[in-house]
Amino acid sequence: MDECTRLHTIIRSTLPGPQHKAASKALKLSITQAKHKWAHDQLHQAVDAQDIWTLTRVCKGRQANTVPPLCDNNSTLVDNPIHKAQIFQNWYFLENPQWVNLIQDDDPPSLPTQAWDPITPEEISTALKTASDFSMPGPSRIGYRILKWAHATSPHLLTLIFNHSIDTGSHLWKHATVVILNKPNKPDYSLAKVYRPISLLECTTKLLEKIVAKRVNANIISANLLPMSQFGSRPQYNALDAITTLTHKIQATRQTGNVGALLLFDISGFFDNVNPDQATQVFRQKGTPENICH
């Protein structure tokens, strides 16, 4: 253990180079030797078959679900779960988001409000066919398998609930279970930015969202609301289309003897900090009914 601590200190305190590389290699070897010694001692001390079968589970390994101490704003390590939750909240959710005027001077004219037909049992059945029974459920623990059974037994129930939610502009499934996962191969796991939260929403909510999203995408395509250069989040478009378009523009620029420039953006926490009021206003301007925009 002392040797591992010494090597770990060298890795954390030195810049990448020969010494850092040698310490990393020695630390891996030291950990491997310690594991072998521990396994040998456990097998040597086993007294019955149950002890041996218990050790077989160790070989498969398991994922650690604990989050190590995190650095707060004062660079102090915090190990209290409540304080760590506050650190994650401060990192992923802005406390005072910048105010944005919902109506801009260069906004395009608003489109007429589109008709929104009631959701049908067939739409729910189609959405359930693409839902995995192994998808993690939300706080209620009601998964897609239960929803499939319920809809097959009484197709009108989910249809009635979904249409009522659409008509009132609200629903009951507003809670989610948030799981914190660490990004792999990061040098310092005491920083909140090397983790990403996963929200386990209620499957009922996700089912309703799938139906609404499919309709919204259909309206976008039929009304031609997106430019041809928009490739993300569109059916039948993928990264290859974007790469092909970029390659074509580069080749055209070179063949005409011009000089081109490419500016790329990598916005940190983009989806975490989208202004929901501004996004809702865009849907209103595109003719989405008011009850859908809530």
Side-chain angles (χ1 to χ4, degrees):
M1 181 61 68
D2 293 339
E3 178 66 13
C4 291
T5 302
R6 184 185 68 83
L7 294 172
H8 185 263
T9 302
I10 296 176
I11 295 173
R12 292 289 300 272
S13 59
T14 58
L15 296 175
Q19 185 181 8
H20 186 278
K21 185 176 180 180
S24 298
K25 185 177 180 180
L27 178 60
K28 292 181 181 179
L29 179 61
S30 179
I31 293 176
T32 301
Q33 292 175 347
K35 287 182 178 180
H36 287 172
K37 183 178 183 304
W38 177 86
H40 180 272
D41 293 341
Q42 293 295 319
L43 287 173
H44 182 72
Q45 298 173 5
V47 295
D48 54 27
Q50 183 62 34
D51 294 337
I52 297 177
W53 285 112
T54 302
L55 289 174
T56 60
R57 293 196 295 267
V58 178
C59 299
K60 299 179 181 179
R62 64 174 183 173
Q63 181 179 358
N65 296 322
T66 58
V67 176
L70 300 177
C71 284
D72 59 8
N73 295 332
N74 300 321
S75 299
T76 303
L77 288 178
V78 174
D79 199 24
N80 185 286
I82 297 178
H83 295 164
K84 289 195 289 187
Q86 187 64 43
I87 293 174
F88 282 125
Q89 182 177 350
N90 295 338
W91 176 260
Y92 290 107
F93 302 100
L94 294 178
E95 187 172 347
N96 296 311
Q98 182 178 1
W99 181 84
V100 178
N101 190 0
L102 298 183
I103 301 177
Q104 303 291 330
D105 296 335
D106 57 349
D107 285 342
S110 298
L111 300 178
T113 302
Q114 304 173 12
W116 190 274
D117 297 328
I119 295 176
T120 64
E122 290 73 21
E123 286 183 287
I124 299 177
S125 298
T126 302
L128 284 173
K129 288 180 181 179
T130 59
S132 173
D133 293 341
F134 302 100
S135 179
M136 289 296 295
S140 70
R141 311 302 298 171
I142 297 178
Y144 281 122
R145 179 174 296 181
I146 297 178
L147 293 177
K148 291 177 181 179
W149 289 342
H151 187 62
T153 304
S154 300
H156 67 282
L157 289 180
L158 280 178
T159 307
L160 177 63
I161 294 173
F162 285 173
N163 283 319
H164 184 71
S165 299
I166 293 294
D167 294 338
T168 58
S170 180
H171 60 77
L172 300 175
W173 315 286
K174 301 180 183 294
H175 298 279
T177 301
V178 179
V179 179
I180 301 295
L181 301 179
N182 61 296
K183 300 177 183 179
N185 302 323
K186 297 297 180 179
D188 189 359
Y189 283 97
S190 65
L191 304 178
K193 67 179 182 179
V194 302
Y195 298 87
R196 57 189 178 97
I198 301 296
S199 295
L200 303 180
L201 302 173
E202 294 286 3
C203 290
T204 312
T205 308
K206 293 189 287 185
L207 180 60
L208 177 59
E209 288 178 353
K210 290 176 66 172
I211 298 172
V212 173
K214 185 176 181 179
R215 288 195 178 191
V216 170
N217 284 329
N219 291 339
I220 289 174
I221 295 174
S222 61
N224 196 24
L225 299 179
L226 293 179
M228 293 294 295
S229 57
Q230 172 69 33
F231 299 103
S233 302
R234 295 185 66 181
Q236 301 177 356
Y237 284 80
N238 53 39
L240 292 179
D241 298 315
I243 295 174
T244 302
T245 302
L246 177 60
T247 304
H248 170 74
K249 291 183 179 297
I250 294 174
Q251 293 174 346
T253 301
R254 296 182 61 183
Q255 289 178 358
T256 56
N258 295 320
V259 177
L262 177 63
L263 181 62
L264 303 176
F265 289 94
D266 184 8
I267 303 177
S268 177
F270 177 81
F271 289 102
D272 300 328
N273 299 294
V274 169
N275 189 313
D277 295 331
Q278 185 66 47
T280 302
Q281 180 63 20
V282 173
F283 275 96
R284 289 194 184 98
Q285 293 175 343
K286 299 303 182 181
T288 307
E290 183 65 27
N291 56 327
I292 304 298
C293 294
H294 282 290

